């Protein structure tokens, strides 16, 4: 018995250590490298002590060690953030409890802390595969919880567990679909996780680095047909401050992006829904000029979309856009986009020449596009480094650049020519999946183009389309030489089998996002309205189905009672003892089995002997009085019969 208890304790310690390693892996993006190293060393030490059959560390030493580590976590509170500090303290509490664990009864708090940590994993992760892994960790912790309180010799009854799951699943589904979806009672404070996607600064090389990231940026589902690829310019940032080398979002523009634009009467040509990946930024994506949006998204006067807080989890929002250019907001906006810093004298002279030859803005833009098309300019993911006069070096020396180089040079030329212009950062294109009906836009579709002012509206101009039209009409891969495509797709990613598997998992993850993560209060209200509309029909159908079931049960009962020759005494025993009689060997009669149980369970000896005597008298002598006494005895001792059934079942 002692050996079984020690084996049980070892198995539980190993399972708890595995759970904490899994939690460390799931929460690693919230921890600094040195924090991960501390937890890994503590868990490795505990694993070695379990394998070597050593006792846990003394509680005083563990408390001292945990106190020192907690102080170091507190000193890094400003860098880590409140949320990450809370996660660190929770995991430290679980690890400290595991290190000091001497007896199994001390582990009750440990499994409950694990439940809290497992729930916290959903704050950082929403992918379907990771969610399945989190549920697996939850199942392991739940099984360890059962093993903690169960006898060492008992085993999990999988049949009963399966029945319990079949009962719980419909209830869980009903709660998920119908229970009111309350807003969060608290907000996630100070989530210091590195942001992804476009930033507020655009310089040579920033987009080149971003396009080498193949992760999803967002997915789009159109209400109608897919627009032509030339229209798929997803606006996300406006870069209007230029210091001679890099572009930045203007400070006034950052504040304006949090304000909702006035309602417009423009007709919406496109209606679509976007599922944006977590980026830790407030900026979102839209086509052309957004007209309306769902309540969780704001449209600024400049046509940019933003969330009221950083997108720390997947965000679903609906947008309607007009395929017309964005209108000029104010005179201040025009003056902001005419400023040019000193430097780049050759570019300035080139702009003056263009202005003299083409006084109209649209003619000048067309001439600039033809210049890029006819001259030996090259589209490259690895352009050479540029000096202080970066625009001059690009236009007149290297002739090689990426979309940000062409957009930056074009905007500077237009400003020198007296035309207000700005660089737009966003995404272009995407990969359409017709069977699933959505457009997948990845970070590699990051793009930069230009908007210039003409007749009071901001006309789009993409110089990349003049240099590498394949980038706009097809994809980035088709616009790059073969040696640079390897930078986008490593060798393992080029395997057809892995590509197909990755794509299928992406499709499943999309359905997960739409039907589970995207099931918000608006969809729930729509479901309630649909149910209310069909409520009479559902009630009539339920009544008819219930009536059919009642009729069938009555019919079966009547037919069984007419053909069933089982004696009433035997029926009464089976009614109250139930599955306990199922353990009876076929070679024993009911009376012999009851007497055998009377010897095996002395606590029920007198009752079982009295029960057997009345049963035999009612069965063999057909004594009506004995049958009535048997019924009364079974009815008055239900509690004792329940204890007897459990005793028979557990042996």
């Amino acid at each position: 018995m002692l050996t079984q208890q020690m084996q049980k304790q070892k198995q539980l310690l190993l399972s708890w250590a595995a759970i904490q390693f899994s939690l460390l892996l799931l929460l690693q993006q919230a921890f600094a490298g040195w924090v991960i190293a501390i937890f890994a060393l503590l868990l490795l030490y505990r694993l070695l002590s379990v394998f070597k059959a050593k006792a846990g560390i003394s509680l005083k030493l563990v408390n001292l060690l945990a106190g020192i580590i907690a102080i170091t976590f507190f000193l890094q509170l400003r860098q880590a953030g409140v949320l990450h500090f809370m996660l660190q303290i929770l995991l430290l509490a679980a690890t400290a409890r595991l290190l000091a664990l001497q007896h199994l009864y001390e582990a009750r708090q440990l499994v409950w802390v694990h439940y809290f940590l497992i729930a916290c994993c959903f704050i950082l992760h929403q992918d379907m595969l990771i969610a399945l892994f989190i549920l697996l960790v939850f199942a392991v912790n739940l099984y360890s919880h059962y093993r903690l309180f169960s006898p060492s010799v008992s085993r999990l009854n999988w049949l009963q567990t399966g029945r319990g799951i079949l009962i719980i699943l419909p209830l869980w589904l009903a709660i998920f679909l119908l229970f009111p979806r309350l807003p969060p009672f608290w907000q996630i404070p100070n989530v210091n996780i590195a942001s992804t996607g476009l930033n507020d600064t655009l310089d040579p090389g920033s987009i080149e680095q971003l396009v080498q990231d193949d992760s999803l940026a967002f997915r789009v589902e159109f209400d109608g047909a897919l627009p032509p690829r030339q229209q798929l310019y997803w606006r996300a940032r406006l870069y209007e401050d230029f210091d001679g080398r890099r572009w930045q979002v203007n400070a006034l523009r950052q504040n304006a992006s949090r304000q909702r634009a006035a309602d417009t009467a423009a007709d919406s040509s496109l209606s679509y829904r976007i599922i944006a990946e977590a980026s830790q930024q407030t900026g979102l994506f839209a086509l052309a000029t957004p007209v309306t949006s769902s309540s969780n998204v704001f449209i600024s006067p400049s046509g940019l979309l933003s969330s009221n807080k950083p997108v720390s989890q997947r965000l679903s929002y609906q947008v309607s856009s007009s395929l017309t250019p964005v209108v000029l907001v104010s005179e201040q906006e025009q003056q902001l986009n005419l400023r040019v810093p000193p430097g780049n004298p050759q570019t300035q002279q080139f702009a003056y020449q263009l202005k003299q030859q083409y006084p109209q803005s649209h003619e000048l833009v067309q001439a600039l596009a033809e210049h890029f098309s006819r001259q030996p300019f090259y589209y490259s993911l690895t352009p050479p480094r540029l000096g202080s006069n970066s625009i001059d070096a690009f236009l007149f020396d290297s002739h090689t650049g990426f979309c940000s180089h062409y957009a930056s040079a074009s905007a500077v030329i237009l400003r020198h020519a007296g035309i207000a212009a700005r660089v737009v950062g966003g995404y272009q294109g995407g990969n359409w999946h017709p069977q699933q009906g959505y457009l997948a836009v990845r970070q590699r579709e990051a793009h930069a183009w230009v908007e210039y002012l003409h007749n009071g509206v901001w006309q789009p101009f993409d110089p990349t389309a003049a240099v590498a039209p394949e980038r706009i009409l097809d994809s980035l891969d088709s616009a790059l030489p073969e040696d640079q495509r390897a930078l986008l797709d490593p060798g393992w990613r080029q395997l057809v089998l892995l590509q197909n598997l990755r794509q299928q998992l992406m499709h499943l993850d999309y359905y997960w996002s739409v039907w589970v993560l995207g099931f918000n209060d608006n969809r729930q209200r729509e479901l309630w309205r649909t149910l209310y509309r069909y409520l009479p029909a559902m009630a009539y159908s339920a009544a008819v189905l219930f009536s059919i079931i009642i009729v069938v049960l009555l019919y079966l009962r009547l037919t069984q009672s007419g053909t069933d020759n089982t004696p009433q005494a035997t029926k009464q025993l089976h009614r109250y003892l139930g599955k306990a009689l199922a353990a009876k060997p076929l070679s024993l009669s009911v009376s012999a089995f009851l007497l055998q149980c009377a010897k095996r369970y002395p606590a029920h000896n007198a009752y079982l002997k009295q029960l057997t005597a009345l049963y035999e008298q009612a069965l063999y002598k057909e004594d009506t009085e004995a049958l009535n006494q048997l019924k009364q005895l079974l009815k008055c001792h239900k509690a004792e019969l329940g204890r007897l059934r459990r005793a028979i079942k557990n042996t």
Side-chain angles (χ1 to χ4, degrees), residues 246-287:
R246 62 176 54 86
W247 293 82
Q248 287 186 328
V249 176
N250 186 267
L252 297 177
R253 185 73 68 190
Q254 291 177 337
N255 296 329
S257 65
R258 272 75 171 170
Q259 302 171 3
R260 184 179 292 276
D263 293 337
T264 175
D267 295 331
S268 60
S269 302
L270 281 177
S271 182
Y272 49 94
R273 185 162 66 94
I274 292 181
I275 300 176
E277 298 294 313
S279 62
Q280 309 306 325
Q281 301 188 45
T282 57
L284 296 172
F285 323 98
L287 291 173

Side-chain angles (χ1 to χ4, degrees), residues 26-333:
L26 289 166
L27 301 174
Q28 55 87 20
Q29 66 175 346
F31 298 161
W34 64 272
V35 176
I36 297 174
I38 288 176
F39 282 119
L41 289 174
L42 294 177
L43 292 174
L44 284 174
Y45 174 81
R46 188 49 172 149
L47 279 176
L48 290 175
S49 64
V50 171
F51 284 119
K52 293 182 178 180
K54 291 184 178 180
I57 307 175
S58 66
L59 187 59
K60 291 184 179 179
L61 182 58
V62 169
N63 288 337
L64 177 63
L65 182 62
I68 295 173
I69 296 175
I71 291 173
T72 61
F73 290 165
F74 182 77
L75 294 176
Q76 299 292 320
L77 176 60
R78 184 180 296 274
Q79 291 80 6
V82 177
L83 174 64
H84 297 170
F85 175 73
M86 293 166 57
L87 295 177
Q88 291 169 0
I89 293 300
L90 272 176
L91 187 56
L92 179 62
T95 306
R97 178 78 276 182
L98 187 63
L99 287 172
L101 195 64
Q102 302 284 350
H103 306 285
L104 287 182
Y105 63 83
E106 299 172 348
R108 296 179 180 179
Q109 300 90 349
L110 177 63
V111 293
W112 285 108
V113 174
H114 284 170
Y115 286 130
F116 280 105
L117 282 166
I118 292 169
C120 289
C121 292
F122 285 105
I123 298 177
L124 303 178
H125 300 285
Q126 288 191 312
D127 293 350
M128 185 190 67
L129 289 179
I130 299 181
L132 291 176
F133 180 67
I134 294 173
L135 292 176
L136 176 62
V137 176
F138 170 77
V140 174
N141 192 63
L142 190 65
Y143 180 70
S144 71
H145 201 169
Y146 161 77
R147 290 280 294 156
L148 181 63
F149 292 97
S150 65
S152 300
V153 295
S154 68
R155 292 185 177 181
L156 187 63
N157 191 325
W158 291 105
L159 183 60
Q160 286 189 347
T161 304
R163 290 177 179 175
I165 292 174
L166 290 177
I167 294 173
I168 291 172
L169 281 179
L171 295 176
W172 169 81
L173 185 61
I175 292 173
F176 176 78
L177 293 175
L178 304 176
F179 193 80
R181 306 187 75 80
L182 302 176
F185 297 105
W186 55 281
Q187 299 294 332
I188 299 174
N190 193 15
V191 183
N192 290 340
I193 302 177
S195 62
T196 58
L198 293 166
N199 295 316
D200 290 341
T201 301
L202 181 71
D203 55 12
S206 58
I207 289 196
E208 290 91 315
Q209 296 174 0
L210 186 59
V211 298
Q212 297 182 45
D213 181 5
D214 197 41
S215 61
L216 277 170
F218 56 95
R219 285 176 278 202
V220 192
E221 185 180 88
F222 292 94
D223 291 347
L226 175 70
R229 189 176 177 88
Q230 303 91 299
Q231 295 180 359
L232 297 179
Y233 281 86
W234 306 94
R235 301 171 80 245
R237 294 285 193 280
L238 292 179
Y239 301 104
E240 297 167 300
D241 290 344
F242 184 57
D243 62 2
R245 181 173 182 83
R246 62 176 54 86
W247 293 82
Q248 287 186 328
V249 176
N250 186 267
L252 297 177
R253 185 73 68 190
Q254 291 177 337
N255 296 329
S257 65
R258 272 75 171 170
Q259 302 171 3
R260 184 179 292 276
D263 293 337
T264 175
D267 295 331
S268 60
S269 302
L270 281 177
S271 182
Y272 49 94
R273 185 162 66 94
I274 292 181
I275 300 176
E277 298 294 313
S279 62
Q280 309 306 325
Q281 301 188 45
T282 57
L284 296 172
F285 323 98
L287 291 173
T289 303
V291 178
T292 61
S293 66
S294 50
S295 58
N296 58 339
V297 169
F298 298 95
I299 304 175
S300 72
S302 58
L304 295 179
L305 264 62
S306 64
S307 173
N308 58 355
K309 60 182 179 179
V311 182
S312 58
Q313 296 179 335
R314 282 181 182 171
L315 178 67
S316 175
Y317 59 96
Q318 187 79 24
V319 187
S320 294
S321 290
S322 173
L323 295 179
T324 56
V326 179
V327 179
L328 177 67
V329 176
S330 63
E331 182 68 23
Q332 181 185 10
E333 185 181 55

Side-chain angles (χ1 to χ4, degrees), residues 238-514:
L238 292 179
Y239 301 104
E240 297 167 300
D241 290 344
F242 184 57
D243 62 2
R245 181 173 182 83
R246 62 176 54 86
W247 293 82
Q248 287 186 328
V249 176
N250 186 267
L252 297 177
R253 185 73 68 190
Q254 291 177 337
N255 296 329
S257 65
R258 272 75 171 170
Q259 302 171 3
R260 184 179 292 276
D263 293 337
T264 175
D267 295 331
S268 60
S269 302
L270 281 177
S271 182
Y272 49 94
R273 185 162 66 94
I274 292 181
I275 300 176
E277 298 294 313
S279 62
Q280 309 306 325
Q281 301 188 45
T282 57
L284 296 172
F285 323 98
L287 291 173
T289 303
V291 178
T292 61
S293 66
S294 50
S295 58
N296 58 339
V297 169
F298 298 95
I299 304 175
S300 72
S302 58
L304 295 179
L305 264 62
S306 64
S307 173
N308 58 355
K309 60 182 179 179
V311 182
S312 58
Q313 296 179 335
R314 282 181 182 171
L315 178 67
S316 175
Y317 59 96
Q318 187 79 24
V319 187
S320 294
S321 290
S322 173
L323 295 179
T324 56
V326 179
V327 179
L328 177 67
V329 176
S330 63
E331 182 68 23
Q332 181 185 10
E333 185 181 55
Q334 181 177 0
Q335 295 302 320
L336 173 65
N337 289 282
L338 284 170
R339 297 186 304 187
V340 181
N344 298 299
Q346 291 179 277
T347 303
Q348 185 175 358
Q349 183 62 32
F350 177 62
Y352 291 162
Q353 293 175 1
L354 286 177
K355 182 65 175 177
Q356 291 176 356
Q357 296 178 7
Y358 307 98
Q360 298 297 324
S361 58
H362 62 279
E363 293 177 352
L364 190 148
V365 169
Q366 182 63 32
L368 183 57
E370 292 178 358
H371 175 77
F372 284 130
S373 173
R374 293 175 180 176
Q375 297 298 320
F377 281 93
Y378 303 99
Y379 189 67
S380 174
L381 191 60
T382 56
R385 296 180 63 87
L386 303 174
S388 56
N389 291 320
S390 59
I391 305 298
D392 282 357
F394 165 65
L395 286 175
F396 304 103
D397 295 331
S398 70
H399 295 91
T400 302
F402 204 57
C403 59
S404 56
H405 295 77
Y406 291 98
S408 178
S410 299
V412 171
I413 292 172
L414 291 173
R415 287 188 178 188
H416 276 301
I419 303 172
R422 60 194 184 189
V423 176
V424 185
Y427 297 83
Q428 200 284 323
N431 190 12
W432 176 248
H433 300 280
Q435 292 183 347
Q436 291 73 29
Y438 71 90
L439 182 79
V441 181
R442 299 184 176 275
Q443 297 293 349
R444 67 191 308 171
E445 268 86 39
H447 193 53
W449 62 97
V450 175
E451 287 180 348
Y452 68 95
L453 190 62
H454 178 67
N455 293 334
V457 296
W458 292 99
Q459 297 287 350
F461 165 54
D462 189 359
T464 302
V467 180
E470 305 89 358
R471 165 66 182 89
I472 309 304
L473 299 175
D474 190 1
S475 66
L476 176 63
D477 296 41
S478 60
L480 294 174
E482 186 174 353
D483 59 332
Q484 294 186 17
R485 294 178 197 170
L487 299 175
L488 301 178
D489 291 316
W492 64 269
R493 198 179 287 168
Q494 297 178 8
L495 296 176
V496 177
L497 180 61
L498 289 180
Q499 286 182 349
N500 293 335
L501 177 61
R502 186 164 173 258
Q503 185 165 298
Q504 294 303 320
L505 291 175
M506 184 183 70
H507 296 333
L508 289 174
D509 187 68
Y510 172 73
Y511 295 131
W512 165 265
S513 300
V514 170

